Amino acid sequence: MVQDKDIQEVLFSEETLRCRVAELGAEITRDYQGKEPILASVLRGSYIFMADLARAIDLPVRVDFMSVSSYGKGTKSSGQVQITKDLSDEIEGKDLIVVEDILDSGNTLYYLLQVLQARHPASIRLCTLLDKPERRVKPITADYAGFTVPDAFVVGYGLDYAERYRNLPYIGILKPSVYGG
Ligand code: IMP
Ligand code: MG
């Protein structure tokens, strides 16, 4: 693809992603037997993961979407988080699974989970495709995590840099020269 030239190293191929997402789906299916969890996707980075994960879960799930901003065009989160689009449905008494693309500093989710807890769901768990534990500044751990990634800026499979690269079918490390690093 034309954007391949900006990728320094492919971390997870399409096939690797497919296998891991299937495992996460099976795990959630086991853990939520008899329940109808709501998958709450944090846009936009998790949109592809969300679509694949939902189809890997063998339960009557519901899907909902919300959007927060904390990054602008940079590669580091500001710690200032804003809900720019809220969930469409009420979550009180519901089993909520927050679906994220990557857990980095934890600033975004720390804030988001507080906001969602205050609405009194029956339960709330976090499912992230990628986990970058080295950069964590807030005490957050994922209940379900696909892969651990090194401290590098990664793109593809939904993840962007300045809104580009989301459509790459794999996840790779972006060449630092692209963002002037
Ligand atoms: P946090 O608030 O630092 O945990 O950042 C969370 C959000 O930052 C994620 O949902 C991503 O949208 C974005 N993000 C963090 N690291 C990366 C990365 O390596 N590539 C692309 N987006 C990232
Ligand atoms: Mg993002």
Side-chain angles (χ1 to χ4, degrees):
M1 298 180 79
V2 292
Q3 298 180 109
D4 290 343
K5 64 172 181 358
D6 294 340
I7 303 303
Q8 177 176 302
E9 182 192 343
V10 174
L11 292 179
F12 310 113
S13 69
E14 271 187 272
E15 178 60 16
T16 303
L17 289 165
R18 188 163 37 242
C19 289
R20 187 64 186 126
V21 173
E23 287 175 359
L24 290 173
E27 222 181 303
I28 290 171
T29 302
R30 274 197 305 276
D31 293 351
Y32 285 83
Q33 280 301 306
K35 298 187 171 156
E36 295 192 19
I38 300 177
L39 303 179
S41 159
V42 184
L43 296 170
R44 290 172 241 181
S46 71
Y47 80 110
I48 293 180
F49 176 44
M50 173 74 156
D52 286 346
L53 181 69
R55 286 177 289 183
I57 297 174
D58 187 12
L59 293 170
V61 297
R62 295 208 269 155
V63 298
D64 206 343
F65 300 89
M66 66 188 308
S67 188
V68 295
S69 72
S70 65
Y71 266 67
K73 284 204 174 86
T75 61
K76 300 259 156 71
S77 83
S78 59
Q80 301 259 20
V81 183
Q82 246 190 319
I83 293 185
T84 51
K85 181 216 174 298
D86 208 338
L87 295 173
S88 298
D89 297 338
E90 305 269 313
I91 57 168
E92 186 172 346
K94 302 291 198 322
D95 294 300
L96 193 70
I97 303 174
V98 175
V99 179
E100 252 287 28
D101 53 352
I102 183 165
L103 179 51
D104 187 29
S105 70
N107 282 325
T108 308
L109 281 163
Y110 186 78
Y111 168 80
L112 199 59
L113 291 176
Q114 277 182 333
V115 169
L116 296 173
Q117 284 289 6
R119 299 178 189 177
H120 306 293
S123 70
I124 178 161
R125 282 188 182 169
L126 173 61
C127 177
T128 185
L129 177 65
L130 305 178
D131 188 3
K132 219 191 254 181
E134 279 174 59
R135 295 199 359 113
R136 200 80 88 254
V137 301
K138 290 287 190 338
I140 301 239
T141 48
D143 300 285
Y144 306 95
F147 303 95
T148 299
V149 290
D151 184 7
F153 201 79
V154 297
V155 295
Y157 194 71
L159 290 100
D160 73 306
Y161 170 66
E163 296 308 325
R164 288 162 64 203
Y165 309 104
R166 292 194 195 277
N167 59 328
L168 285 178
Y170 56 83
I171 289 176
I173 296 176
L174 188 63
K175 284 183 184 163
S177 58
V178 174
Y179 52 86

